[in-house]
Structure formats: C-alpha cells, structure tokens
Amino acid sequence: MGGPSTTEEVGGFLSRLFADNDLIPLGPLQSYLGPLIARRRTPKIQKQYADIGGGSPIRKWSEYQASEMCAILDKISPSTAPHKPYVAFRYANPLTEETYQKLLDDGFGNGRGGRAVAFSQYPQYSCSTTGSSLNELWKWRKRLEGQSADQKGLIQWSVIDRWPVHNGLVEAFAQLIEAQLQMFPPERRDKVVLLFSAHSLPMSVVNRGDTYPAEVAATVYAVMSRLGFSNQYRLCWQSQVGPSAWLGAQTSDTVKNYVAKGQKDLVLVPIAFTSDHIETLYELDREVIHEAGSEGVKRAQSLNGHPIFIQALADIAKAHLENGGTCSTQLGLRCQGCVSEKCREQKAFFTGDSSSRVVL
C-alpha cells in the first residue's frame, strides 16, 4: 500500500486510502465521506510522520528489499536472469500506474511481450490489501495495454499473492523475537508474553469471508512452533479507523489490560508487516509502548533488511518462476460473500497463463 515519503504527500495518500472501498468500506457515500475524512485527518497524520523523521521509510525499505532480492535471484536462478526490480504502491508514490508506465517505457509490452511477477509484500492475503492492489494493477493493465483477446506482445503477468508460512519468513521473525527476548534478565525471559500485532480489518470484510485472519494466525503458529512454544503468546490487532466494528482484541487495549493485571513484560511483534512504517514507528513505539508505562514492554525489530528475510524473498520468487503457475490455488476462490465485479475480473485475469522474460 505504501506510505508518504514526506509530510507534503500525506494529503494525497490519505485521499487515495479513504477512497478505496476494498480497504475501508464506507458505503454509497464513499466518494463524499472519503475525501472529507482524509482532509480532517491530514494535519494529525502529518504531525505523526514528522515525529518519525518526516515521512515513511517504507519506500526506502521496499526498494532495498527488491534490489537485494534480485541480486540474489540472478545468482540462484540464472536461467531467468536478469531480474529487474520495480516497486509499486497503492496509495503512495510510486503509484501503480506510474510503475506500469515505466515498465512500458523500459521495453515491456506494446507488442514486445515480456513477463512480470507481481510479488505482494503482504505475506498474508487480504482482499483489502493484496486484493485491492491486484484490482488496481488489473485496472491499469486494461487502460494501458487494452483488453484484447490476443495477448501476443502484451506483458504476461503472474502473481505471488501469499506466503504466510514460508520457512525463511518464519525463521527471520523467530530470530528477531529471540534477539529481543535476550534483552530481558534470564530469570524473567521465559515469563515474557509475546503479543503478535497485525493490522486490523473491518468486521464487514471479515464476515464476508476474508482469509487474512486465518493466514495471520498461521504465521503466528508457525513462528511459535519454531520457538518451541517457549513463551505464552496472543494475537492482537491494531490501527482501527472510524467508529465501525473492527477485528479485535485491539493491541493498545491488550497491552494496557495485561500491564494492569501485573503482566509487565511483553514483546510486541509486528507479524503482518515486512518493514518499518508509521504503524510500527509511531503507533507501536510512540503510542502503545510509551503509554504502557512499563519498561518491560518492548518491540521486536521489523524485518527490514534482515538477510534471512531477503533470502526468503529470493527463494519464493525462484520457486514461483520454476513452478510456471500464475498464482496460488487460493487466489481463484472468491470470498463467500463477495459480490465485487472487479474482484471477479481480476481473479479471472490472474488465473490465466504466463510466459517468459522476467520482471519483479
């Protein structure tokens, strides 16, 4: 989804975010309420970004991760090399349409063909995140390359749409948790409670059948299995927006409640994020942890440039290229309550065939 790199980009970022009914469904008045909410929230969010250094680091980390991944991929998958990385965000620069145009400008499509892999940096799939991003990619595919039944000469797309229990992802999370646990005295270490925190979803999305809660839980269980279930743990949810019902328990409430009950040693683990951004650097570090009032409340570092995580990205991409498929088996199955025509079209597109010449 991205994040504004400067405080000046916050307004546009929020406008696009609140206009997306895949992420924040506001009903038939979305086109009116979205911009209104964005304008009202912009000054507050600008201040938060100013407090973490003047902008989100997510673009920096995404570009670093993509570049390092492709460098490894060139070595471990020479038959599909060279691999060229592109970064596209849903709400922030570089936007999907900008990156798609760059692909065309760089010699892909427009009768020249080529293969591109849309590699979601959300390990756990949700219609509101990966699904929304794929809807946007499909929209710009139609606008920039057309909808001709003859696919010859067009960019051939495939997608890595989820990877919640990949061994490399699990190992990277486990090592970061172990490193944070070492900050506690030995006699307290096994009494620390691990709180896995993921971005919440509106209950309207959950009740529609979104797979995200189950896939996040799968990641948590895989990480705890790797840790040998050494500590007690819970999964909680953060970043609720607006008055409607969202998936809980909320991370902030969870921390306050445990501290009030005497459980003052806690480690927060951002389990659904692959790099630092405002949800970790401000919401968790400056709000949740600061307001807890306990020196025993800490956060495991984010994945960012962890070498095992970067290797995992390359391994996932290599397996996808070797497999020859266009997406996971799950992508083609719509949520039980889905009535979205754009979702149907997008899934029909990405479950099609793909060919050679690789871009990531």
Side-chain angles (χ1 to χ4, degrees):
M1 296 299 184
S5 297
T6 67
T7 55
E8 289 75 20
E9 295 178 16
V10 170
F13 170 77
L14 291 178
S15 293
R16 288 183 284 269
L17 186 149
F18 283 103
D20 183 5
N21 61 6
D22 290 324
L23 178 66
I24 303 177
L26 298 174
L29 296 178
Q30 183 117 20
S31 60
Y32 168 76
L33 292 175
L36 178 63
I37 296 171
R39 286 195 301 272
R40 289 184 175 179
R41 289 181 60 86
T42 292
K44 175 184 176 182
I45 303 303
Q46 283 179 322
K47 183 179 184 307
Q48 292 179 359
Y49 277 108
D51 288 345
I52 63 170
S56 172
I58 193 171
R59 179 172 183 173
K60 175 194 76 174
W61 281 120
S62 296
E63 291 176 343
Y64 174 82
Q65 292 164 345
S67 176
E68 292 297 301
M69 176 196 69
C70 282
I72 295 173
L73 197 56
D74 284 347
K75 296 176 183 177
I76 65 176
S77 183
S79 63
T80 56
H83 308 89
K84 186 170 183 178
Y86 293 80
V87 171
F89 292 134
R90 182 69 175 84
Y91 310 125
N93 297 323
L95 294 166
T96 303
E97 59 266 36
E98 296 168 359
T99 299
Y100 207 120
Q101 185 60 56
K102 190 171 190 330
L103 277 169
L104 298 176
D105 294 343
D106 285 352
F108 294 89
N110 286 331
R112 294 162 295 196
R115 179 176 181 181
V117 179
F119 192 166
S120 172
Q121 289 306 288
Y122 290 95
Q124 306 92 2
Y125 182 91
S126 173
C127 295
S128 62
T129 52
T130 302
S132 175
S133 297
L134 294 180
N135 287 342
E136 188 75 355
L137 179 59
W138 167 231
K139 180 181 79 175
W140 287 103
R141 157 64 179 247
K142 291 187 291 184
R143 292 184 180 182
L144 295 175
E145 290 202 90
Q147 301 184 68
S148 171
D150 181 8
Q151 298 294 303
K152 185 177 181 180
L154 304 182
I155 297 174
Q156 300 301 304
W157 285 95
S158 63
V159 56
I160 301 171
D161 51 88
R162 70 198 75 204
W163 34 288
V165 293
H166 185 271
N167 288 339
L169 175 72
V170 171
E171 181 62 28
F173 273 130
Q175 290 192 14
L176 291 168
I177 293 168
E178 289 173 331
Q180 192 60 59
L181 287 172
Q182 289 298 313
M183 304 300 291
F184 291 87
E187 66 273 13
R188 290 163 54 188
R189 199 168 294 153
D190 63 351
K191 302 297 191 296
V192 176
V193 171
L194 305 179
L195 296 180
F196 294 89
S197 185
H199 201 296
S200 187
L201 281 181
M203 286 306 297
S204 59
V205 176
V206 176
N207 292 336
R208 192 171 62 213
D210 199 288
T211 62
Y212 175 73
E215 294 192 15
V216 173
T219 306
V220 171
Y221 194 84
V223 171
M224 289 308 304
S225 295
R226 156 61 179 79
L227 293 172
F229 296 95
S230 58
N231 294 70
Q232 294 179 321
Y233 69 99
R234 284 293 184 272
L235 171 57
C236 45
W237 309 88
Q238 65 180 91
S239 310
Q240 175 176 327
V241 178
S244 62
W246 283 59
L247 182 63
Q250 287 292 305
T251 302
S252 56
D253 294 338
T254 299
V255 171
K256 290 177 184 176
N257 290 338
Y258 276 133
V259 170
K261 293 173 181 177
Q263 177 60 54
K264 297 186 177 182
D265 287 346
L266 306 166
V267 169
L268 292 163
V269 183
I271 196 64
F273 305 121
T274 58
S275 70
D276 275 320
H277 42 73
I278 197 167
E279 284 88 349
T280 58
L281 299 175
Y282 191 90
E283 185 178 353
L284 293 183
D285 292 354
R286 290 175 171 263
E287 291 185 331
V288 175
I289 294 177
H290 177 73
E291 294 171 7
S294 170
E295 58 84 23
V297 180
K298 306 179 187 299
R299 175 173 71 85
Q301 292 298 305
S302 299
L303 293 169
N304 292 334
H306 195 293
I308 289 179
F309 173 64
I310 302 296
Q311 181 67 50
L313 295 178
D315 291 342
I316 293 167
K318 179 177 184 290
H320 176 78
L321 295 172
E322 290 177 346
N323 174 269
T326 58
C327 60
S328 74
T329 303
Q330 282 292 95
L331 186 66
L333 183 64
R334 298 168 71 188
C335 294
Q336 299 94 309
C338 179
V339 294
S340 170
E341 186 63 19
K342 62 184 176 182
C343 176
R344 185 194 66 78
E345 289 185 1
Q346 169 254 113
K347 289 181 181 297
F349 172 70
F350 283 110
T351 54
D353 293 328
S354 192
S355 60
S356 60
R357 194 179 171 205
V358 180
V359 182
L360 287 111

